Amino acid sequence: MTARKTQPKPGDLMRGEAELLAAGFELQHQGLELLLAEMRALAALMPGEDSSLPTDAEVEAGFDNMPI
């Protein structure tokens, strides 16, 4: 006697595809977290610029060169 093959239900197929997609997204998320950690570590090693913006008075002082 041979075993009968059962037809997979559409819900089972969709669930399997959803699990594969979820696993793929999780792997991408882990890779991006690793990349972010590496970028932060490199940023800590790099010398940075002074990111302070000039005040309005400093900007205006640069334009006060017009003759009267």
Side-chain angles (χ1 to χ4, degrees), residues 64-68:
D64 286 341
N65 57 4
M66 294 181 62
I68 298 179

Side-chain angles (χ1 to χ4, degrees), residues 13-49:
L13 294 175
M14 291 296 287
R15 195 171 298 111
E17 289 181 21
E19 289 173 357
L20 285 174
L21 281 172
F25 288 143
E26 180 61 28
L27 288 173
Q28 287 180 351
H29 180 72
Q30 290 175 358
L32 289 173
E33 281 184 338
L34 178 61
L35 179 61
L36 180 60
E38 290 174 348
M39 289 173 60
R40 286 182 176 160
L42 285 173
L45 296 175
M46 296 174 61
E49 292 182 11

Side-chain angles (χ1 to χ4, degrees), residues 48-53:
E49 292 182 11
D50 183 20
S51 63
S52 62
L53 298 174

